[in-house]
Coordinates of all heavy atoms in Angstrom, one line a residue:
G873 N -58.2 11.3 -11.0 CA -59.0 10.6 -12.0 C -60.4 10.3 -11.5 O -60.9 11.0 -10.6
L874 N -61.0 9.3 -12.0 CA -62.3 8.9 -11.6 C -62.3 7.4 -11.4 O -62.2 6.6 -12.4 CB -63.4 9.3 -12.6 CG -64.8 9.0 -12.3 CD1 -65.2 9.7 -11.0 CD2 -65.7 9.4 -13.5
A875 N -62.3 6.9 -10.2 CA -62.2 5.5 -9.9 C -62.8 5.2 -8.5 O -62.7 6.1 -7.6 CB -60.8 5.0 -10.0
F876 N -63.3 4.0 -8.4 CA -63.7 3.5 -7.0 C -63.6 2.0 -7.0 O -63.6 1.4 -8.1 CB -65.2 4.0 -6.8 CG -66.2 3.3 -7.6 CD1 -66.8 2.1 -7.3 CD2 -66.5 3.9 -8.9 CE1 -67.7 1.5 -8.1 CE2 -67.4 3.2 -9.7 CZ -68.1 2.1 -9.3
G877 N -63.6 1.5 -5.8 CA -63.6 0.0 -5.8 C -62.9 -0.6 -4.6 O -62.2 0.0 -3.9
I878 N -63.2 -1.9 -4.5 CA -62.5 -2.8 -3.5 C -62.0 -4.0 -4.3 O -62.8 -4.6 -5.1 CB -63.4 -3.2 -2.4 CG1 -63.9 -2.0 -1.6 CG2 -62.7 -4.2 -1.4 CD1 -64.9 -2.4 -0.5
S879 N -60.8 -4.3 -4.3 CA -60.3 -5.4 -5.2 C -59.2 -6.2 -4.5 O -58.6 -5.8 -3.5 CB -59.7 -4.8 -6.4 OG -58.6 -3.9 -6.2
F880 N -59.0 -7.4 -5.1 CA -57.9 -8.3 -4.8 C -56.8 -8.1 -5.9 O -57.1 -8.2 -7.1 CB -58.3 -9.7 -4.7 CG -57.2 -10.7 -4.4 CD1 -56.8 -10.9 -3.1 CD2 -56.6 -11.4 -5.4 CE1 -55.8 -11.8 -2.8 CE2 -55.5 -12.2 -5.2 CZ -55.1 -12.5 -3.9
E881 N -55.6 -7.8 -5.5 CA -54.5 -7.4 -6.5 C -53.3 -8.4 -6.4 O -53.0 -8.9 -5.3 CB -54.1 -6.0 -6.2 CG -55.1 -4.9 -6.3 CD -55.6 -4.6 -7.8 OE1 -54.7 -4.7 -8.7 OE2 -56.7 -4.3 -8.0
G882 N -52.7 -8.6 -7.5 CA -51.4 -9.3 -7.5 C -50.5 -8.6 -8.5 O -51.0 -7.9 -9.4
G883 N -49.2 -8.8 -8.3 CA -48.3 -8.2 -9.3 C -46.9 -8.5 -9.0 O -46.5 -9.4 -8.1
I884 N -46.0 -7.8 -9.7 CA -44.5 -8.0 -9.5 C -43.9 -6.7 -9.3 O -44.4 -5.6 -9.8 CB -43.9 -8.7 -10.7 CG1 -44.1 -8.0 -12.0 CG2 -44.4 -10.1 -10.8 CD1 -43.4 -8.5 -13.2
I885 N -42.8 -6.6 -8.6 CA -41.9 -5.5 -8.4 C -40.5 -5.9 -8.8 O -40.0 -6.9 -8.3 CB -41.9 -4.9 -7.0 CG1 -43.3 -4.4 -6.6 CG2 -40.9 -3.8 -6.9 CD1 -43.4 -3.9 -5.2
T886 N -39.9 -5.2 -9.7 CA -38.6 -5.6 -10.2 C -37.7 -4.4 -10.2 O -38.1 -3.3 -10.5 CB -38.6 -6.2 -11.6 OG1 -39.1 -5.3 -12.5 CG2 -39.4 -7.5 -11.6
P887 N -36.4 -4.5 -9.9 CA -35.5 -3.4 -10.1 C -35.4 -3.0 -11.6 O -35.5 -3.9 -12.4 CB -34.1 -4.0 -9.6 CG -34.5 -5.2 -8.8 CD -35.7 -5.7 -9.4
R888 N -35.1 -1.8 -11.8 CA -34.8 -1.3 -13.2 C -33.3 -1.4 -13.4 O -32.6 -0.5 -13.2 CB -35.4 0.1 -13.4 CG -36.9 0.2 -13.3 CD -37.4 1.5 -13.6 NE -37.2 1.9 -14.9 CZ -37.5 3.1 -15.4 NH1 -38.1 4.0 -14.6 NH2 -37.3 3.4 -16.7
F889 N -32.9 -2.6 -13.7 CA -31.5 -2.9 -13.7 C -30.6 -2.0 -14.6 O -29.6 -1.6 -14.2 CB -31.2 -4.4 -14.2 CG -31.7 -5.4 -13.1 CD1 -32.9 -6.1 -13.3 CD2 -31.0 -5.6 -12.0 CE1 -33.3 -7.1 -12.4 CE2 -31.4 -6.6 -11.0 CZ -32.5 -7.3 -11.3
K890 N -31.1 -1.7 -15.8 CA -30.3 -0.9 -16.7 C -30.2 0.6 -16.2 O -29.1 1.2 -16.2 CB -31.0 -0.8 -18.1 CG -30.1 -0.1 -19.1 CD -30.7 -0.3 -20.5 CE -29.8 0.5 -21.5 NZ -28.4 0.0 -21.6
T891 N -31.3 1.1 -15.6 CA -31.2 2.5 -15.1 C -30.3 2.5 -13.9 O -29.4 3.4 -13.8 CB -32.6 2.9 -14.6 OG1 -33.5 3.0 -15.8 CG2 -32.6 4.3 -14.0
N892 N -30.3 1.5 -13.0 CA -29.4 1.4 -11.9 C -28.0 1.3 -12.3 O -27.1 1.9 -11.8 CB -29.8 0.3 -10.9 CG -31.1 0.6 -10.2 OD1 -31.4 1.7 -9.8 ND2 -31.9 -0.5 -9.9
E893 N -27.7 0.4 -13.3 CA -26.4 0.1 -13.7 C -25.7 1.4 -14.3 O -24.6 1.7 -14.0 CB -26.4 -1.0 -14.8 CG -25.0 -1.3 -15.3 CD -25.0 -2.4 -16.4 OE1 -26.1 -3.1 -16.5 OE2 -24.0 -2.7 -17.0
E894 N -26.5 2.1 -15.1 CA -25.9 3.3 -15.8 C -25.8 4.4 -14.8 O -24.8 5.2 -14.9 CB -26.7 3.6 -17.0 CG -26.7 2.6 -18.1 CD -27.4 3.0 -19.4 OE1 -27.8 4.2 -19.5 OE2 -27.6 2.1 -20.2
Y895 N -26.7 4.5 -13.8 CA -26.6 5.6 -12.8 C -25.4 5.4 -11.9 O -24.7 6.3 -11.6 CB -27.9 5.6 -12.0 CG -28.0 6.8 -11.1 CD1 -28.2 8.1 -11.5 CD2 -27.8 6.6 -9.7 CE1 -28.3 9.1 -10.6 CE2 -27.9 7.6 -8.8 CZ -28.1 8.9 -9.3 OH -28.2 9.9 -8.4
F896 N -25.2 4.1 -11.5 CA -24.1 3.9 -10.6 C -22.7 3.6 -11.3 O -21.7 3.5 -10.6 CB -24.4 2.7 -9.6 CG -25.5 3.1 -8.6 CD1 -26.8 2.7 -8.9 CD2 -25.2 3.8 -7.5 CE1 -27.8 3.1 -8.0 CE2 -26.2 4.2 -6.6 CZ -27.5 3.8 -6.8
G897 N -22.8 3.4 -12.6 CA -21.6 3.1 -13.3 C -21.1 1.7 -13.3 O -20.0 1.4 -13.7
E898 N -21.9 0.8 -12.8 CA -21.6 -0.6 -12.7 C -22.9 -1.5 -12.5 O -23.9 -0.9 -12.1 CB -20.6 -0.9 -11.5 CG -21.2 -0.5 -10.2 CD -20.2 -0.8 -9.1 OE1 -19.7 -2.0 -8.9 OE2 -19.8 0.1 -8.3
K899 N -22.8 -2.7 -12.8 CA -23.9 -3.6 -12.6 C -24.0 -3.9 -11.1 O -23.1 -4.5 -10.5 CB -23.8 -4.9 -13.4 CG -25.0 -5.8 -13.4 CD -24.8 -7.0 -14.3 CE -26.1 -7.8 -14.4 NZ -25.9 -9.0 -15.3
V900 N -25.1 -3.5 -10.5 CA -25.3 -3.7 -9.0 C -26.6 -4.3 -8.7 O -27.6 -4.0 -9.4 CB -25.1 -2.3 -8.3 CG1 -23.6 -1.9 -8.3 CG2 -26.0 -1.3 -8.9
S901 N -26.7 -5.0 -7.6 CA -27.9 -5.6 -7.1 C -28.6 -4.6 -6.2 O -28.0 -3.7 -5.7 CB -27.7 -6.9 -6.4 OG -27.0 -6.6 -5.2
P902 N -29.9 -4.7 -6.0 CA -30.6 -3.9 -5.1 C -30.0 -3.9 -3.7 O -29.9 -2.9 -3.0 CB -32.0 -4.4 -5.1 CG -32.2 -5.0 -6.4 CD -30.9 -5.6 -6.7
K903 N -29.6 -5.1 -3.3 CA -29.0 -5.3 -1.9 C -27.7 -4.4 -1.8 O -27.5 -3.7 -0.8 CB -28.6 -6.7 -1.7 CG -27.9 -7.0 -0.3 CD -27.5 -8.5 -0.2 CE -26.7 -8.7 1.1 NZ -26.2 -10.1 1.2
K904 N -26.9 -4.4 -2.8 CA -25.6 -3.6 -2.8 C -26.0 -2.1 -2.7 O -25.3 -1.3 -2.0 CB -24.8 -3.9 -4.0 CG -24.1 -5.2 -3.9 CD -23.1 -5.4 -5.1 CE -22.3 -6.7 -5.0 NZ -21.4 -6.9 -6.1
I905 N -27.0 -1.7 -3.5 CA -27.4 -0.3 -3.4 C -27.9 0.1 -2.1 O -27.5 1.2 -1.5 CB -28.4 0.0 -4.5 CG1 -27.9 -0.2 -5.9 CG2 -29.0 1.4 -4.4 CD1 -28.9 -0.2 -7.0

Side-chain angles (χ1 to χ4, degrees):
L874 182 60
F876 68 91
I878 300 175
S879 61
F880 178 83
E881 301 284 329
I884 59 172
I885 297 177
T886 59
R888 297 182 64 181
F889 289 106
K890 187 172 180 60
T891 298
N892 287 326
E893 180 181 349
E894 295 185 10
Y895 185 74
F896 291 99
E898 59 180 304
K899 189 174 183 179
V900 288
S901 67
K903 179 184 175 183
K904 287 185 176 181
I905 295 170

